[in-house]
Amino acid sequence: MGCCSKWGVFVFTVLFGLGVIISTTAPNWIGFHANDRDDQSLSHEVNYGPFYGRSRECRDGTCGRWTFRAINPQDCTEVQSDLESLCKQMDTFRGAGITCLTLTMIGGALVLAATCCQVLTCGCCGNSLTCVSNVLFGLETMLSVVAWSFAIATQQTIKSGPNVTESFYQWGFWLFLASGTILGGFTTMLADWAADDSCFRAIWHIILCKRCRKKDDRDDRGEPLIQDEYA
């Protein structure tokens, strides 16, 4: 693994990891405002994230303190039948987001270990750790699509609620989309390229070899090997 590729993987892994950590640990993916069923002067502000959500009550433009509630897989067994679909969608995007965080932290630790090995052994060791981190980052990138897809489905279901006045995506959702999917995919390709048995580099070499062969064939057909000196 070259010096530039090594440090490139390390830098992008740090940016990618920070984005996923900050976004998944924030309760700011989906937000909505809803009026109270019994008291129309009372409204509720609710935010949801992978690990926990928060809510507060507002009356006449004055809002109380936020109350926080952690994710609980048993919640879906206690809700009404009309909310069961929404609860399952929410649990899916939350669980996928938490899994993405876990894969990112394990992969980041492996990249850090691989970078230290490369520095201490002058590039002799650490390639196998980079390969494993590449697999983990690839899994995280694919799973991140599942996470924000179910987050979109959750937001659309909430939006259609009878007492919901406003529903929107928050900064945590957009940060996860940018870091977990876009930057995660780029980091995956960069980590693969830095490995000795890189799949992307092998494909690139195959494409270049085919182009070189076609060019050589055209050159061979363009001029005969034996010139007729009597022509």
Side-chain angles (χ1 to χ4, degrees):
M1 183 169 62
C3 179
C4 294
S5 299
K6 175 185 64 178
W7 289 110
V9 173
F10 181 77
V11 171
F12 276 97
T13 298
V14 171
L15 297 176
F16 159 56
L18 287 176
V20 173
I21 292 173
I22 293 173
S23 61
T24 53
T25 55
N28 299 98
W29 279 40
I30 299 173
F32 68 92
H33 300 162
N35 293 326
D36 191 81
R37 293 182 179 180
D38 301 324
D39 188 353
Q40 293 300 319
S41 63
L42 178 65
S43 63
H44 303 272
E45 293 184 6
V46 183
N47 298 332
Y48 284 121
F51 277 97
Y52 61 96
R54 63 178 185 175
S55 62
R56 64 179 179 178
E57 296 181 350
C58 298
R59 187 187 299 273
D60 299 328
T62 303
C63 298
R65 293 183 177 181
W66 290 104
T67 58
F68 297 87
R69 190 169 189 271
I71 180 175
N72 186 0
Q74 301 299 325
D75 289 344
C76 289
T77 61
E78 302 174 358
V79 300
Q80 301 176 0
S81 59
D82 57 339
L83 297 176
E84 186 175 355
S85 176
L86 172 62
C87 189
K88 290 182 178 180
Q89 290 174 348
M90 192 174 300
D91 279 353
T92 300
F93 97 75
R94 283 177 151 183
I98 293 173
T99 305
C100 286
L101 174 63
T102 304
L103 293 174
T104 301
M105 295 185 69
I106 296 175
L110 292 177
V111 169
L112 178 61
T115 303
C116 293
C117 290
Q118 290 282 332
V119 173
L120 295 176
T121 62
C122 298
C124 295
C125 301
N127 182 67
S128 59
L129 297 178
T130 304
C131 293
V132 176
S133 66
N134 177 43
V135 174
L136 295 178
F137 289 160
L139 292 175
E140 189 282 334
T141 302
M142 292 185 289
L143 191 60
S144 69
V145 177
V146 177
W148 55 255
S149 295
F150 274 91
I152 292 175
T154 301
Q155 191 270 345
Q156 293 298 318
T157 304
I158 292 175
K159 187 178 180 179
S160 60
N163 297 315
V164 176
T165 59
E166 185 181 7
S167 177
F168 46 88
Y169 303 108
Q170 297 182 295
W171 63 266
F173 171 83
W174 297 111
L175 179 59
F176 181 81
L177 178 62
S179 59
T181 302
I182 299 175
L183 192 57
F186 184 79
T187 305
T188 301
M189 292 187 293
L190 189 61
D192 179 83
W193 190 274
D196 291 340
D197 52 349
S198 170
C199 296
F200 288 107
R201 197 189 309 143
I203 296 173
W204 180 251
H205 287 331
I206 292 173
I207 296 174
L208 289 181
C209 288
K210 287 184 177 180
R211 290 182 178 179
C212 292
R213 289 174 183 173
K214 291 181 179 179
K215 183 178 180 181
D216 292 339
D217 292 340
R218 288 196 300 267
D219 293 340
D220 292 340
R221 291 193 298 267
E223 296 181 0
L225 296 178
I226 301 177
Q227 298 291 338
D228 188 359
E229 60 182 1
Y230 299 102

